[in-house]
Amino acid sequence: MKTILSNLEKNTVNIYVICRILIGLFFFIAGFNKLFHPIFQGYMLNTITSIGFPFPQFTANFTAFCECVFGLFLMLGFWTRISSVFLIIIILVALFTHDLNSIPKELVPVNPETGVYEVDPFTWLSYFLYLPQTLYLLFLLLFLFQGCTGFGIDCFRKTKTGNS
């Protein structure tokens, strides 16, 4: 058992780097698609417009650009904490303006004769934790507090300048 725990502890940094790269890749691809793919541009513009943000075209392009650039930075381990802050802001805005509305306010049971039930706080929390944005937010908070660990441009710059 100690050997297994020891091996897991040795690979913690590698797992962290893999998570940082994959989350960064997700944001990069999502932002890239919203910038350059007509279908995703339309989805983004419709979402921003329906929420009621001012200057929807600019807001959609700016958000997609930030997702793309800071996702790339996160993937490369460049400005890891700053990138995390920008991506956290994007996730929080998406959560509060769009995604929380996807959580049902009432539950319709399988048997329609029993009636509709209002969602209790515990059930609401389970729906909230099921949203992928919640997991992204937790990872981004980890990257914000941990910074670039293991492999990345920030780590290379630290060792280059001698600030270990």
Side-chain angles (χ1 to χ4, degrees):
M1 186 65 160
K2 287 184 180 181
T3 310
I4 293 171
L5 289 175
S6 175
N7 286 337
L8 287 173
E9 288 173 3
K10 288 178 189 173
N11 290 314
T12 302
V13 172
N14 295 335
I15 300 291
Y16 175 88
V17 170
I18 290 169
C19 289
R20 194 193 75 230
I21 290 171
L22 290 177
I23 296 293
L25 181 63
F26 164 76
F27 278 104
F28 173 74
I29 291 172
F32 185 87
N33 281 339
K34 291 171 191 171
L35 277 175
F36 300 110
H37 194 285
I39 299 295
F40 292 103
Q41 286 174 341
Y43 288 154
M44 184 69 169
L45 185 59
N46 287 341
T47 302
I48 296 287
T49 304
S50 69
I51 292 169
F53 278 102
F55 312 108
Q57 185 67 55
F58 172 78
T59 305
N61 289 337
F62 180 73
T63 304
F65 176 79
C66 286
E67 278 186 50
C68 187
V69 168
F70 290 113
L72 178 65
F73 285 177
L74 188 64
M75 197 170 41
L76 297 173
F78 179 65
W79 288 352
T80 304
R81 288 189 165 113
I82 294 170
S83 299
S84 296
V85 167
F86 275 90
L87 295 172
I88 285 170
I89 291 168
I90 290 170
I91 285 289
L92 287 175
V93 170
L95 264 172
F96 286 111
T97 59
H98 182 261
D99 299 319
L100 289 181
N101 296 329
S102 68
I103 297 175
K105 294 178 183 17
E106 52 189 29
L107 299 175
V108 179
V110 176
N111 182 358
E113 295 172 2
T114 58
V116 175
Y117 296 97
E118 192 174 320
V119 172
D120 60 280
F122 191 70
T123 304
W124 185 91
L125 183 61
S126 70
Y127 273 96
F128 174 74
L129 294 173
Y130 198 77
L131 292 172
Q133 292 80 350
T134 308
L135 184 59
Y136 299 142
L137 183 61
L138 291 174
F139 272 112
L140 289 169
L141 286 170
L142 174 68
F143 304 146
L144 173 64
F145 288 107
Q146 188 70 31
C148 183
T149 301
F151 176 77
I153 293 173
D154 290 343
C155 295
F156 177 73
R157 288 187 320 160
K158 274 187 206 174
T159 56
K160 194 86 166 155
T161 60
N163 297 337
S164 301

